[in-house]
Amino acid sequence: MMPAATMIAAVLRALAAAALALALLPAARAALFEDGEARRAILEMRQRIDDLQQSRQRSAEELRKGADENAQLRRSLLDLQTQIETLRAEQAKLNGQNEQLRRDLGELQRRQKDITQGVDERLRQFEPVKVSVDGREFQADPAEKRDFEAALAVFRAGKFADAGLAFSSFVRQYPRSGFMPSARFWLGNAQYATREYQEAIVNFRQLLSDAPGHARAPEAALSIANCQMELKDTRSARKTLEDLLQAYPQSEAALAAKERLAYLK
């Protein structure tokens, strides 16, 4: 398609050529053209020029509009690219945060497991355990069992004064313990070893009162007689030995009681 400027120039040249031809024609021939036809030709030429100018204006307007649309499109594309980059940066940040959250969660779960195991272990330390002492079975707290065994170990090491203190503390701390008859027996023996005969008699008699059927009861009765003999209370010792023979005739302590009775006579 021919540009609008080129077309206008061509039309102008054609008009100029027509005007020049009219001027050169002989007067007789020029008369052949009527004024009306000349005016129509000129008007047609002017209309064509106006149409071409309007077409040129429309084309220029369309070009400007297209340029504006292209500029707007470029701006939109730049904005979109910026948004994409921003989203990518945010996605990378979120990925990093998610990874940190996974690590934190893993660490939290590990700590929770450690805490749970620690709590379970501590709870097990307080759970009653089944024990068997001097032929008796019963439930005892782990701390209770530990303290009794520790006091008994001190006694067996020959540290009778320390053992007496340890068993005295045990008796006060665990008054309802299943270890109580055995604890009083060993406490009485520790006191006998340190010549605390009256105190020993009290603990041996308490054992007999609380648990007359205990495996250590015959020995406790014999120990009372021994304490009384140490205190030169022969009459009480004889009575204690006679009671022992009557209460526990089949025990080993009864054999020792017979021997001591024969000695006292």
Side-chain angles (χ1 to χ4, degrees):
M1 181 178 179
M2 182 182 298
T6 304
M7 294 179 63
I8 292 171
V11 171
L12 292 176
R13 285 196 298 272
L15 288 173
L20 179 59
L22 289 174
L24 296 176
L25 284 175
R29 295 186 60 187
L32 294 176
F33 290 94
E34 295 182 357
D35 292 340
E37 292 178 358
R39 282 195 297 269
R40 283 196 298 274
I42 292 171
L43 291 174
E44 289 176 357
M45 287 294 181
R46 287 178 178 175
Q47 184 62 44
R48 291 181 61 186
I49 291 171
D50 292 339
D51 292 342
L52 289 173
Q53 288 177 341
Q54 291 177 0
S55 177
R56 181 180 179 184
Q57 289 175 354
R58 286 195 298 270
S59 297
E61 183 66 25
E62 290 176 356
L63 288 175
R64 285 194 299 271
K65 185 177 179 181
D68 292 341
E69 291 176 351
N70 289 336
Q72 182 63 36
L73 180 60
R74 284 195 295 270
R75 286 193 296 270
S76 299
L77 289 175
L78 288 174
D79 291 342
L80 181 60
Q81 184 65 30
T82 301
Q83 292 176 8
I84 291 173
E85 294 298 328
T86 301
L87 289 174
R88 286 176 178 173
E90 291 178 353
Q91 182 65 40
K93 182 178 179 180
L94 289 174
N95 290 338
Q97 291 176 347
N98 289 337
E99 182 62 28
Q100 184 62 42
L101 287 174
R102 282 194 292 270
R103 289 195 295 267
D104 292 344
L105 178 60
E107 179 65 17
L108 182 60
Q109 290 174 338
R110 184 188 66 78
R111 291 182 180 178
Q112 183 180 13
K113 182 178 178 181
D114 292 342
I115 291 172
T116 301
Q117 290 177 346
V119 170
D120 290 343
E121 291 176 0
R122 285 193 291 272
L123 289 176
R124 282 194 293 271
Q125 292 177 358
F126 295 99
E127 290 178 356
V129 294
K130 187 177 181 180
V131 296
S132 177
V133 177
D134 293 330
R136 300 181 68 195
E137 289 187 352
F138 53 90
Q139 296 288 324
D141 291 337
E144 181 183 343
K145 178 175 180 291
R146 182 186 65 245
D147 291 348
F148 175 83
E149 292 175 347
L152 186 59
V154 174
F155 181 91
R156 288 173 175 169
K159 300 177 182 179
F160 301 117
D162 292 339
L165 293 174
F167 278 114
S168 294
S169 176
F170 183 91
V171 169
R172 289 192 302 271
Q173 188 172 356
Y174 306 104
R176 299 181 181 277
S177 172
F179 286 104
M180 187 58 68
S182 298
R184 288 197 177 277
F185 175 79
W186 292 110
L187 174 56
N189 277 281
Q191 292 168 334
Y192 179 85
T194 56
R195 294 185 172 83
E196 300 174 77
Y197 302 121
Q198 293 291 358
E199 291 80 358
I201 290 172
V202 170
N203 281 295
F204 288 134
R205 282 180 174 168
Q206 190 67 49
L207 187 160
L208 292 173
S209 175
D210 294 342
H214 193 271
R216 297 287 185 178
E219 295 180 62
L222 182 61
S223 296
I224 291 173
N226 291 337
C227 289
Q228 291 167 337
M229 291 172 65
E230 292 290 344
L231 293 169
K232 308 303 181 182
D233 188 359
T234 305
R235 180 180 297 179
S236 297
R238 184 182 293 111
K239 177 67 167 62
T240 300
L241 292 171
E242 290 172 352
D243 291 343
L244 189 161
L245 289 171
Q246 185 177 0
Y248 309 104
Q250 304 301 321
S251 65
E252 294 183 5
L255 297 177
K258 289 179 182 179
E259 294 178 359
R260 284 171 173 70
L261 281 173
Y263 173 77
L264 290 176
K265 291 180 180 180

